[in-house]
Amino acid sequence: MAEQKNSSILGRGNREGSALVRQWFDELNELAENDGQAAYVFVMGSIGEILQVFDIPVVFPEVNALQTAVRRVSHEYLGEAEDYGYSPDSCGYVKADIGIQLREGEYPMGRVPKPALSVHTNACNIYLKWAEIWQRMYDIPIFTMDVPGTRTAGSQSWPGDRKFVNDHKYVTAQVKELFALCEKVSGVQFDIDKLREILGYANRMNQGWKRVLELNQNRPSLFNALTDGTVFLGITNVYRGTEIGAKYFEDLVEEMEYKADEGIGTDCEEKYRLLFVGVPCYPIFRRFNEMFSNWGGTFISSTYLWFASGGNNFGFQYDLNNPIESLAEGILISVRDAMDSMFFQDQVLVKMVDSFQADGIVYHPVKSCRTVSTGLLDNRRAVMAARDIPSLFIESDMVDRRAISEAQLKNRIDAFFEGLASRRERS
Amino acid sequence: MDQAVFTEWHDKNLDDILVECRLLIEDLEFPTLRRWRQAGGKVLGHFQVYCPEEIVHAAGMLPFKIRGASLQPMQADSHLGSYLCSILKTSFELVLSGRIELDMFVAQPICDAARNLAAVWGRNFSYPCEILYLPQNATSNYSIEYLRGEYDRFRQDIELLIDREISTDELCNSLVLFNQNRALLRTLYAIKRETPWLISVDEVYLLLAVGGLIPREEHNDLLQKAIPLIRQRTSTPQNKPRIIFEGGFCEQPPLDLLQSISQVCYVVDDDLFIGLRWILEEVPLNRKDPLYPLAEAYLESSSYSPVQHDLRKPKEKMLLKRIEESAAQGVIIAAPKMCEPALDEQVTYTYALDKTKIPYIVSEFEENMNDFDHLEMQLETFIDNLSFEKGVESDG
């Protein structure tokens, strides 16, 4: 009986997650082949809850771009964008997408539908420029959900605070304006009961995602935040506000709780528990992880799982009795949290060193993303000053192989683990 | 504060005034800042591009425009990542090295790199370091009201620092002063546009750039003295093409680079220190709520830059408008190295200029560069082509 449960539940999150993402790509491919259109959105605040109300399918150009890297063809797309005029120093995701657009949507997963509109937050400034590019290419409406972030470290305002009111009113106004735009684009009327239903699904997903991340405090860790975590992250983004997404995360919590109860960890025999700060190295995604797992290093958490889920890790729960105001509140708090995870994450990391019993921190800034990478060196200094914990600082890229030196990475990683081992011996 | 911090230009002729301005902006010890602080004044440093300096001024503080510097970021390099523009690093180097001392720091999320600054700064200095969130959804019906509220929040943070309230009268006085300043700058730019042989781009730059280093009262005095002297110059027009310089909204090109450009062409308009000239019209006085018209002006009567997202101001159309209004014949589309907003906009600009058949060159610069051979060569060829085209047109 126990064995039966083992085989049905263990690895379910990865199996079903991969299948669901594949299904999503296939649906988009079919849409594109039938000349259908979608909303182009971004991971740091997709505002998927609103788009679902109007039955507008979503395309994540960041996900498409990383697929070109994982499938090892990103250089082709980057080259085409650079030939078009974009600088080698511009964001690789943008250039990979431009390459895709120049190929009429053709990419390794099939074909991407053309945009009917773009919705983006200000969590990344490049989102704004990226959307402007599509506006010029396709003459489509683009909408900025402008979310004021945290002004100074630790000064977040909350509902009931005087300083929260102005930000909340601003986001609420934009939510209503986006309703009007979506009605116009889709021809579907706004339905508040449908919004309630979608927010209910999002609540279940948010709760599950928060719980899954907390559960990895378990020793041994239950999932690899870099590899398994990226599958889970995909579902938080593409199935946001859906029953499928809600159920997936409830099942995932069940799987992780089961593993915790049974003392089952990841495939890697855990010797060193690591926190990951930055963006994954998609062009050598598996190999990058192996450089750590070969030494018994497991990634127990990652800031990427926070900001790239648009702050869903915060676990915000919408008030279904007051859906519009609460939606604005949720967008404001969650997207702000995503931005905090990039700019003000040092104190959270210090706390996690203790609560997750981390042995080391891996900082991985990337050339393509200045949002995430600019302050990591300083962040590292602050965390190291607060806690006696070893850290590794390695640079590469999330999409551009030209910025990745595998041999150099391996040397640095090996030296890091040798240091960890001798530190452990000494203690 | 009654005591002036920049007096070296007093009683001098125009050429000597310009020399004093150059000495000031190239002085890495920032003497005006030191004098201000020695007299007991507080300083709010704000990173590029735009800051509502009126609020800072109303608090009796010196709004100091942080614009990088020509120095090596030895200490900043151990705090900031690779692949970054120079201005970000050298600006931080200025505070790490103690060259400038601040009482408060403010940055706007103008780009992905700069939006990290307040957090980095705040981890290293004990004075308030904050982000001012200027709206990036300029067309929302609530944007002006939001910005008015954000300015009010900013005002309250400053009040905490100075330990007193900023009065409405103080705000109104500051608005009047800054209105005067912008009007003088508009006049300066009008002279450059209409009679470019009277004042070159590097000379205008000197008169403009000191504005971020001294109190506006003093800047107004300086401009009021300099403008009539410029008009009295007897220079005559030369056979130089009329050019726009685009790409100086944040990191500043070296002065010598601007001089090199001015030797071969008339730069009739530019976006250098556009934040100091962001608001294009007089901000009306509203004694009941002076912050509202200031917020309104930021959104409704303002210039453009690659770091502001406003659907009503597509950058390529704004550039074409700038070209038309200044009767320019060509454009230098420059970008600071590693500046993603400017580099991305170069693509937009070049496609628009190709379509309208307006000649241009594309170039990159860095504030610390001192070898301009490549650009000079590029420029010479460009000017040759422009002259040829002009010749063909007049022949035809």
Side-chain angles (χ1 to χ4, degrees):
Chain A
M1 190 67 180
E3 264 182 36
Q4 220 176 15
K5 186 160 189 187
N6 250 348
S7 62
S8 68
I9 199 168
L10 289 181
R12 185 176 62 193
N14 273 347
R15 279 194 309 276
E16 291 185 357
S18 301
L20 283 171
V21 171
R22 180 71 249 184
Q23 182 188 322
W24 175 72
F25 277 126
D26 289 345
E27 285 167 7
L28 287 179
N29 187 48
E30 197 181 329
L31 184 68
E33 295 301 338
N34 292 311
D35 290 330
Q37 290 178 305
Y40 280 16
V41 298
F42 297 93
V43 296
M44 291 195 289
S46 69
I47 324 293
E49 294 90 335
I50 294 180
L51 296 163
Q52 290 279 346
V53 175
F54 299 93
D55 301 324
I56 303 175
V58 289
V59 162
F60 286 85
E62 291 154 299
V63 177
N64 300 340
L66 77 85
Q67 283 299 329
T68 67
V70 172
R71 311 276 159 180
R72 296 174 180 270
V73 291
S74 54
H75 58 281
E76 296 174 18
Y77 295 85
L78 296 177
E80 285 168 29
E82 286 172 15
D83 288 346
Y84 189 77
Y86 285 92
S87 164
D89 296 321
S90 290
C91 169
Y93 272 5
V94 176
K95 287 185 291 187
D97 173 66
I98 287 166
I100 292 170
Q101 302 305 333
L102 292 173
R103 291 185 183 193
E104 300 285 320
E106 177 268 315
Y107 77 131
M109 307 306 287
R111 189 170 295 281
V112 183
K114 287 196 163 61
L117 81 160
S118 160
V119 180
H120 52 272
T121 67
N122 57 318
C124 166
N125 284 52
I126 289 302
Y127 287 174
L128 309 172
K129 299 223 96 62
W130 204 341
E132 286 174 2
I133 294 170
W134 296 323
Q135 187 185 36
R136 292 184 186 104
M137 274 184 167
Y138 298 109
D139 193 21
I140 53 161
I142 61 175
F143 188 91
T144 308
M145 183 64 73
D146 190 21
V147 179
T150 299
R151 275 49 172 215
T152 60
S155 70
Q156 291 87 344
S157 59
W158 301 101
D161 295 349
R162 195 166 48 88
K163 286 187 175 176
F164 189 80
V165 175
N166 190 42
D167 294 353
H168 186 222
K169 279 186 181 171
Y170 182 37
V171 177
T172 306
Q174 293 175 86
V175 163
K176 290 176 182 169
E177 286 159 359
L178 182 55
F179 286 161
L181 175 63
C182 287
E183 274 189 345
K184 199 173 158 190
V185 170
S186 67
V188 175
Q189 280 258 303
F190 173 67
D191 177 346
I192 198 157
D193 291 326
K194 193 171 176 186
L195 175 65
R196 269 197 195 93
E197 185 188 347
I198 288 163
L199 295 185
Y201 296 141
N203 279 346
R204 287 165 57 194
M205 177 186 265
N206 289 350
Q207 198 170 20
W209 185 221
K210 185 170 187 250
R211 177 73 181 139
V212 165
L213 294 171
E214 285 166 356
L215 277 167
N216 226 25
Q217 291 179 46
N218 194 75
R219 188 179 269 272
S221 54
L222 309 170
F223 66 91
N224 183 321
L226 195 64
T227 52
D228 308 323
T230 302
V231 177
F232 310 156
L233 184 65
I235 305 297
T236 66
N237 282 309
V238 304
Y239 285 99
R240 180 150 191 79
T242 66
E243 189 170 10
I244 293 172
K247 183 175 181 311
Y248 174 87
F249 273 93
E250 285 165 352
D251 288 350
L252 191 60
V253 170
E254 185 192 25
E255 179 186 341
M256 294 304 152
E257 285 179 341
Y258 175 75
K259 287 178 81 172
D261 291 344
E262 299 294 320
I264 303 169
T266 62
D267 292 341
C268 171
E269 192 188 333
E270 184 172 288
K271 287 187 188 161
Y272 303 106
R273 295 165 63 80
L274 305 173
L275 299 172
F276 182 85
V277 184
V279 183
C281 182
Y282 283 116
I284 52 165
F285 188 56
R286 293 282 158 195
R287 178 76 195 116
F288 184 87
N289 181 62
E290 281 165 12
M291 291 189 214
F292 294 89
S293 61
N294 287 346
W295 285 88
T298 53
F299 289 106
I300 52 177
S301 192
S302 156
T303 57
Y304 186 59
L305 300 184
W306 311 341
F307 60 77
S309 70
N312 295 350
N313 56 299
F314 183 87
F316 188 86
Q317 295 296 293
Y318 297 112
D319 175 3
L320 304 187
N321 293 318
N322 187 16
I324 297 176
E325 302 276 303
S326 181
L327 173 59
E329 198 172 290
I331 290 170
L332 171 54
I333 290 173
S334 301
V335 175
R336 189 180 71 186
D337 192 77
M339 294 193 267
D340 288 350
S341 299
M342 297 183 286
F343 312 131
F344 297 109
Q345 76 283 64
D346 48 307
Q347 290 310 309
V348 182
L349 286 170
V350 169
K351 283 182 195 156
M352 286 181 75
V353 168
D354 302 333
S355 60
F356 278 70
Q357 302 169 61
D359 299 305
I361 306 178
V362 177
Y363 287 91
H364 182 243
V366 289
K367 181 188 177 190
S368 274
C369 184
R370 292 168 175 92
T371 317
V372 174
S373 308
T374 298
L376 290 191
L377 208 48
D378 186 72
N379 176 292
R380 182 196 194 195
R381 293 170 67 109
V383 173
M384 300 279 283
R387 285 290 178 279
D388 176 26
I389 183 162
S391 65
L392 172 68
F393 198 87
I394 42 175
E395 285 183 292
S396 76
D397 198 57
M398 60 204 190
V399 69
D400 191 343
R401 285 192 67 91
R402 292 170 296 187
I404 301 169
S405 166
E406 212 171 313
Q408 201 175 50
L409 284 175
K410 187 170 183 314
N411 283 341
R412 300 281 314 280
I413 292 166
D414 288 350
F416 174 61
F417 279 105
E418 282 162 12
L420 283 178
S422 84
R423 179 185 167 96
R424 187 164 284 177
E425 271 176 27
R426 285 200 309 275
S427 66
Chain B
M1 195 164 302
D2 297 331
Q3 191 188 332
V5 296
F6 182 43
T7 55
E8 287 84 346
W9 61 274
H10 289 179
D11 305 320
K12 292 200 169 151
N13 63 35
L14 182 59
D15 288 344
D16 289 341
I17 289 173
L18 293 169
V19 169
E20 293 301 339
C21 289
R22 179 164 191 155
L23 289 172
L24 178 62
I25 69 164
E26 290 185 340
D27 191 335
L28 294 179
E29 297 307 317
F30 295 92
T32 52
L33 202 69
R34 288 183 187 276
R35 287 170 199 156
W36 178 268
R37 286 183 66 84
Q38 278 161 7
K42 288 189 187 305
V43 179
L44 183 145
H46 58 91
F47 190 72
Q48 296 271 40
V49 171
Y50 173 79
C51 177
E53 293 179 297
E54 289 87 338
I55 303 170
V56 185
H57 179 270
M61 295 178 73
L62 177 68
F64 172 69
K65 192 167 195 55
I66 299 176
R67 76 283 293 281
S70 184
L71 78 173
Q72 287 304 313
M74 307 293 279
Q75 296 182 62
D77 267 343
S78 65
H79 291 263
L80 297 166
S82 318
Y83 310 115
L84 296 178
C85 56
S86 179
I87 183 176
L88 207 77
K89 293 183 176 187
T90 58
S91 293
F92 196 44
E93 183 71 21
L94 288 175
V95 281
L96 288 175
S97 63
R99 284 186 171 88
I100 60 174
E101 283 184 65
L102 305 176
D103 297 283
M104 185 168 175
F105 172 71
V106 177
Q108 300 81 45
I110 54 165
C111 69
D112 291 330
R115 64 187 310 171
N116 278 272
L117 270 184
V120 171
W121 221 282
R123 283 195 285 266
N124 290 276
F125 294 93
S126 57
Y127 50 76
C129 300
E130 68 172 49
I131 301 174
L132 182 73
Y133 271 93
L134 301 173
Q136 290 281 26
N137 184 344
T139 49
S140 169
N141 285 328
Y142 195 75
S143 293
I144 298 174
E145 194 60 51
Y146 159 74
L147 185 57
R148 189 246 166 243
E150 178 67 352
Y151 283 175
D152 197 41
R153 183 198 62 71
F154 182 45
R155 177 182 61 79
Q156 290 171 40
D157 285 354
I158 294 173
E159 286 175 346
L160 279 177
L161 181 74
I162 60 171
D163 201 21
R164 69 170 180 84
E165 283 188 6
I166 299 169
S167 71
T168 302
D169 280 349
E170 285 173 320
L171 275 171
C172 288
N173 291 341
S174 297
L175 284 170
V176 169
L177 183 78
F178 278 74
N179 274 339
Q180 285 169 353
N181 187 252
R182 285 185 289 262
L184 287 163
L185 290 174
R186 282 197 294 275
T187 303
L188 187 62
Y189 266 72
I191 295 172
K192 185 170 74 134
R193 192 171 54 247
E194 288 153 21
T195 50
W197 49 90
L198 292 182
I199 183 114
S200 61
V201 62
D202 51 301
E203 290 173 329
V204 169
Y205 180 81
L206 290 171
L207 292 168
L208 172 69
V210 292
L213 300 172
I214 59 177
R216 278 304 192 287
E217 292 87 341
E218 292 187 44
H219 194 218
N220 285 353
D221 290 345
L222 172 70
L223 294 172
Q224 275 162 350
K225 171 82 185 284
I227 286 171
L229 295 177
I230 296 166
R231 287 195 168 122
Q232 286 165 22
R233 275 182 164 172
T234 52
S235 331
T236 51
Q238 292 180 311
N239 187 23
K240 291 181 185 175
R242 297 170 63 89
I243 295 295
I244 300 275
F245 181 89
E246 194 84 3
F249 57 93
C250 183
E251 184 169 325
Q252 298 301 295
L255 196 55
D256 290 340
L257 175 66
L258 293 178
Q259 268 183 340
S260 297
I261 295 170
S262 71
Q263 280 164 14
V264 289
C265 52
Y266 291 133
V267 177
V268 286
D269 204 356
D270 58 62
D271 62 350
L272 297 159
F273 277 125
I274 194 69
L276 292 172
R277 306 176 282 128
W278 183 256
I279 294 174
L280 299 173
E281 291 165 13
E282 186 166 306
V283 179
L285 282 190
N286 177 348
R287 292 206 172 266
K288 283 185 184 162
D289 185 3
L291 292 181
Y292 189 90
L294 186 61
E296 188 177 33
Y298 172 81
L299 288 160
E300 301 300 322
S301 53
S302 51
S303 187
Y304 70 97
S305 92
V307 297
Q308 194 212 20
H309 175 73
D310 186 336
L311 296 172
R312 300 164 303 179
K313 296 192 277 192
K315 262 71 92 182
E316 64 275 39
K317 287 190 181 156
M318 297 306 289
L319 174 61
L320 293 174
K321 190 170 167 229
R322 178 172 279 165
I323 294 167
E324 190 187 337
E325 286 176 352
S326 56
Q329 296 159 266
V331 189
I332 299 172
I333 309 171
K337 287 186 193 297
M338 298 288 172
C339 172
E340 216 166 353
L343 289 169
D344 285 352
E345 225 58 84
Q346 281 188 331
V347 183
T348 311
Y349 289 151
T350 53
Y351 277 81
L353 294 174
D354 281 339
K355 212 170 164 183
T356 46
K357 295 193 168 62
I358 295 171
Y360 62 86
I361 54 168
V362 172
S363 181
E364 287 185 32
F365 68 84
E366 199 169 39
E367 59 184 356
N368 282 328
M369 71 195 285
N370 46 31
D371 178 3
F372 315 120
D373 287 355
H374 177 71
L375 180 73
E376 279 170 353
M377 202 181 299
Q378 205 182 1
L379 203 55
E380 272 173 30
T381 314
F382 178 56
I383 301 302
D384 270 358
N385 284 341
L386 271 180
S387 309
F388 177 72
E389 277 176 27
K390 202 176 162 189
V392 170
E393 267 174 30
S394 53
D395 290 348

